[in-house]
Amino acid sequence: MSRLTTRLVQALAPTTVASAHCDIPCGIYDPHGAVLAAQTVAKMVELIGALDGTSPADRNKFIRCVTVKEQHAEIVKHEVQVIWSDYFKPEHLVANPDLHTKVWNLLKLAGKNKQNVDAEAAAQLQAGVKEFADIFWSTKK
Amino acid sequence: MRPALQPGDWLLVDPTTRRWPRRGTIVVVRQPASGRLVIKRVAARPGDTIRVPGGQHRLGSAEAWLLGDAPEISVDSRRYGAVNLDHLVGRAWLRYGPFGRPFGPVGQPSRRRSAR
């Protein structure tokens, strides 16, 4: 009788698990913050390019855009660095042997975006961060 | 999702759901990017306007804004943005176990709550 009950319970128990929050079981790493920050950098470059006035309002907006560009390029650096140093483990390097070089270039690219107003560099930053995010997610599969 | 759900609850999920159910409903979705199965509550539906840092955002015709019940620790739309309908797996419908947990519908918004 008890064997029947056990089998019945086993048959009824769910086979799929959905998580309510993934922080504690899987760590709190997520490259989405870096992706968003890189998007913001590109958007700021675009906004700065669209400004040509010398009115106080335009100059004010110019300075605000530059500030936000600086801050978000710094967020890209921080987010990428944290995932790189804290999340990635030696076994991840087997599938991604050039990870260190890629991260190094990405951090330099973020610096370049701080120094310049360069749409191409901003696009490269977005592409680089996306690639980094793809590598991150590929290790979760 | 406490107290509505507890880890280990057995849920029947309706996979025939073809549109975002009303606000307050608990749904199972594939988390954008990671593909993980996660359980969240519908906070806003297509066409709703939500407040985000820096302004407002109107959800597209297939988008919902999903939030966990534990705001301090939940990873939800605040992190990954609006979720498209093609990520919806189903509506959490009924808790049927394990033994000792109340049997019955879960996450059904009360009439009063959905009217808000």
Side-chain angles (χ1 to χ4, degrees), chain A residues 46-80:
Chain A
E46 190 191 319
L47 288 179
I48 292 167
L51 288 173
D52 55 356
T54 49
S55 67
D58 267 13
R59 287 164 65 191
N60 181 56
K61 189 172 177 193
F62 173 75
I63 287 168
R64 287 175 56 112
C65 288
V66 172
T67 307
V68 170
K69 179 171 75 67
E70 291 273 322
Q71 287 166 345
H72 282 75
E74 192 57 43
I75 291 172
V76 171
K77 286 178 101 162
H78 178 75
E79 297 275 318
V80 169

Side-chain angles (χ1 to χ4, degrees), chain A residues 8 28 39 41 45-46 59 64 67 75 87 95 98-100 104 106 118 134:
Chain A
L8 201 64
I28 51 165
Q39 270 176 16
V41 170
V45 171
E46 190 191 319
R59 287 164 65 191
R64 287 175 56 112
T67 307
I75 291 172
Y87 168 74
D98 51 353
L99 179 72
H100 293 342
W104 188 39
L106 192 51
D118 183 341
D134 289 343

